[in-house]
Amino acid sequence: MSNVIVLGAQWGDEGKGKIVDLFSDRFDIVARYQGGHNAGHTVQVGDKKFILKLIPSGILRPGVRAVIGNGVVVDPAALVEEMDMLEKMGIDVKSQLSISNRAHVIFPFHRVLENISENRKDREAIGTTSRGIGPCYEDKVGRRGIRIAELLDEPTFRTLYRYIAEDKQTLARAFGIESEIDFAGICQQYRMLADRLRPMVCDTARLLNDAISAGKRVLFEGAQGTMLDIDHGTYPFVTSSSAAAGGACTGTGVPPTRIDGIVGVSKAYITRVGGGPFPSEAHGAAGDAIRRAGNEFGSVTGRPRRCGWFDVPLLRYTATVNGFDSLIITKLDVLDELSDIPVCVRYKIGGVETDEMPATRAAMESMEAVYETLPGWRKPTKGTTRYEDLPDEAKRYVDFLESRSQVEVGCVSTGPERSQTIVRAGSKLEKLFS
Ligand code: GDP
Ligand code: IMO
Ligand code: MG
């Protein structure tokens, strides 16, 4: 009975939603362990398209329990909006969703503070999603945050909210923002939201551990990607949570001894949204062509995603910090039209070649990609379901990524739909998901 973590191996938007949805029918529970409604996981089921932000993609499978773990930050208004959207589309959210009583709550002042810090004239912006994610995690780590359990207890909530709102008001004034926090209005709004969430709130660490003890299977769904992880990513151009595999344990309360496998998801190329270093970025026409073919626009903010070539040292780095058992390569079909495909195989920093990921901003910014170029296949691969049916050059491309990254490629995705997928026979991935 395997419990498996599925997470992003790059800078997010690797296609995690499609993959989690695809395999979730083999699990009893799908659990999110970090992030918030900064995530946008697109799942296409037939002619229906779902964009999930906070709710795990497993919700789309009837009978599968979807858990929002303690490591997630929850904007109750955004969560209720997403619940309503899914209910309208026929999903039984009320009976499938469980929300951790230890998850932290996002308030409107978190967004205000994020905008202040992102818009400071003399500082470089991170390019965040403006959802209040970073400031909420700051309050959590600063030990002044408010958890869902406290949101549900009105007298406690009013006291804690008053303390934190006073602090934020003082901070906002220091930056010249004079508008008053509407204390009574927010308390009333959050009381109503709390009443909507109350039936779904519980100790999800206990729920998950009891389920595992009873022989049930859990799939852990990562949000963002390893290179956006607060510790292992391209700091400070990262998100504020532990997107890497270790976060699945701290973010759900399921111990490492109960995890059986870790699967990375990576595009056949690479994208990033927001600021920060990107050594294999394809500028100009080449980048535009990938963006067009891959429809690379943010599902949360609509921003055009920066596009570039597959980065082998980055993948080896994320494979090391996550311990991938297997890798899923998505969006292979997006490269169908290209006659040549560059792959970044090393970096050059200060004239010296290396395959190590640097830790300082200065070194990250000066990284240049060293490429090897592979021939394209210029034949359609969209919808291919058997590895042997891929064009020879496409197989060579996947084999190249596998041998250079030193991680098995257990699955290749050839389109957004569930059926547009190749699972390689005899792979570790096939065993983990069987
Ligand atoms: P996530 O955040 O990792 O779940 O990824 P997103 O949903 O933000 O972005 C991935 C996009 O690519 C979505 O629109 C998916 O429907 C789409 N997608 C996923 N896999 C494939 C694939 O193999 N081929 C193509 N063409 N699109 C895909
Ligand atoms: P999914 O789960 C891609 C990026 C933002 C910004 C940085 C910090 O769909 O892969 P934040 O609002 O989190 O403080 O922003 O992280 N970012 C994402 N990029 N996919 C995501 O999620 C992202 N979530 C955050 O663009 O650069
Ligand atoms: Mg996304």
Side-chain angles (χ1 to χ4, degrees):
M1 282 288 131
S2 13
N3 302 307
V4 182
I5 305 171
V6 172
L7 77 149
Q10 299 170 320
W11 277 293
D13 302 324
E14 297 92 346
K16 301 175 290 293
K18 169 194 162 158
I19 299 300
V20 168
D21 167 68
L22 173 67
F23 293 114
S24 57
D25 63 339
R26 296 144 198 219
F27 291 80
D28 301 286
I29 304 181
V30 176
R32 268 280 301 270
Y33 57 89
Q34 42 71 235
H37 64 311
N38 50 348
H41 299 174
T42 313
V43 180
Q44 210 162 302
V45 186
D47 56 2
K48 280 193 182 170
K49 192 168 161 179
F50 300 87
I51 298 179
L52 295 147
K53 295 171 184 165
L54 260 167
I55 300 181
S57 307
I59 197 85
L60 303 181
R61 299 280 192 177
V64 170
R65 178 146 301 281
V67 169
I68 293 180
N70 56 276
V72 175
V73 285
V74 176
D75 180 329
L79 178 53
V80 165
E81 192 184 317
E82 193 171 334
M83 284 163 51
D84 288 344
M85 179 271 290
L86 290 170
E87 296 260 356
K88 265 200 211 109
M89 294 177 91
I91 311 289
D92 189 6
V93 180
K94 267 198 294 296
S95 56
Q96 281 180 250
L97 182 66
S98 298
I99 305 161
S100 169
N101 52 6
R102 290 177 170 81
H104 277 249
V105 181
I106 297 181
F107 295 100
F109 57 65
H110 286 130
R111 286 196 298 277
V112 173
L113 292 172
E114 180 167 338
N115 287 337
I116 292 173
S117 104
E118 283 288 276
N119 294 324
R120 288 184 71 182
K121 287 199 177 57
D122 53 343
R123 308 285 163 90
E124 195 175 352
I126 304 293
T128 66
T129 59
S130 310
R131 298 294 186 271
I133 305 292
C136 182
Y137 277 116
E138 282 178 46
D139 281 337
K140 171 180 174 175
V141 176
R143 296 166 296 184
R144 54 185 171 262
I146 299 180
R147 307 212 277 195
I148 294 278
E150 287 145 353
L151 171 70
L152 299 190
D153 179 41
E154 205 193 342
T156 310
F157 175 70
R158 288 183 75 84
T159 308
L160 293 178
Y161 184 70
R162 179 170 295 285
Y163 291 155
I164 198 166
E166 277 170 6
D167 289 358
K168 302 307 179 195
Q169 188 81 68
T170 309
L171 206 55
R173 282 209 188 97
F175 284 95
I177 295 183
E178 291 300 332
S179 55
E180 291 283 325
I181 292 178
D182 176 7
F183 181 80
I186 295 288
C187 281
Q188 196 195 355
Q189 186 201 0
Y190 274 63
R191 199 189 65 227
M192 281 158 63
L193 293 166
D195 287 342
R196 281 290 305 277
L197 303 184
R198 193 180 308 278
M200 284 159 276
V201 175
C202 67
D203 180 346
T204 51
R206 180 156 186 191
L207 180 153
L208 289 164
N209 282 294
D210 285 353
I212 294 171
S213 298
K216 300 214 162 129
R217 298 184 68 181
V218 181
L219 180 59
F220 298 85
E221 174 177 356
Q224 290 77 55
T226 309
M227 296 312 288
L228 289 171
D229 179 279
I230 185 73
D231 286 282
H232 302 293
T234 40
Y235 190 90
F237 297 95
V238 292
T239 191
S240 298
S241 66
S242 298
C249 294
T250 52
T252 60
V254 173
T257 45
R258 302 189 107 171
I259 308 288
D260 304 295
I262 302 172
V263 172
V265 185
S266 163
K267 281 175 182 160
Y269 49 98
I270 194 165
T271 60
R272 108 169 270 179
V273 195
F278 187 169
S280 66
E281 183 163 13
H283 297 281
D288 292 344
I290 304 175
R291 188 172 308 105
R292 225 180 4 259
N295 191 24
E296 295 294 356
F297 296 89
S299 36
V300 171
T301 58
R303 291 179 290 178
R305 294 173 180 156
R306 299 159 67 192
C307 298
W309 307 114
F310 191 93
D311 183 333
V312 168
L314 178 145
L315 209 287
R316 287 183 64 167
Y317 171 77
T318 60
T320 303
V321 299
N322 290 306
F324 291 145
D325 293 298
S326 191
L327 188 64
I328 297 175
I329 298 287
T330 62
K331 302 189 93 161
L332 187 72
D333 54 295
V334 171
L335 305 181
D336 282 354
E337 301 290 315
L338 301 178
S339 45
D340 295 307
I341 311 175
V343 175
C344 166
V345 290
R346 280 183 300 284
Y347 303 133
K348 206 183 238 183
I349 303 177
V352 179
E353 289 199 4
T354 176
D355 58 5
E356 273 186 42
M357 187 63 65
T360 65
R361 288 166 216 218
M364 279 190 256
E365 270 153 25
S366 68
M367 271 195 288
E368 287 170 56
V370 178
Y371 293 104
E372 280 183 34
T373 300
L374 278 80
W377 42 94
R378 307 204 73 177
K379 292 185 192 87
T381 63
K382 193 152 191 169
T384 306
T385 55
R386 293 178 347 146
Y387 195 73
E388 47 284 17
D389 293 342
L390 287 175
D392 286 345
E393 294 84 354
K395 278 188 265 192
R396 212 181 310 151
Y397 183 71
V398 174
D399 291 348
F400 183 85
L401 304 189
E402 180 176 67
S403 70
R404 293 300 179 95
S405 306
Q406 297 177 357
V407 188
E408 159 196 287
V409 173
C411 172
V412 179
S413 172
T414 56
E417 298 238 16
R418 286 172 177 168
S419 62
Q420 296 172 316
T421 312
I422 299 168
V423 175
R424 291 175 88 178
S427 61
K428 279 193 216 165
L429 179 131
E430 191 190 41
K431 281 192 207 88
L432 281 173
F433 288 143
S434 64

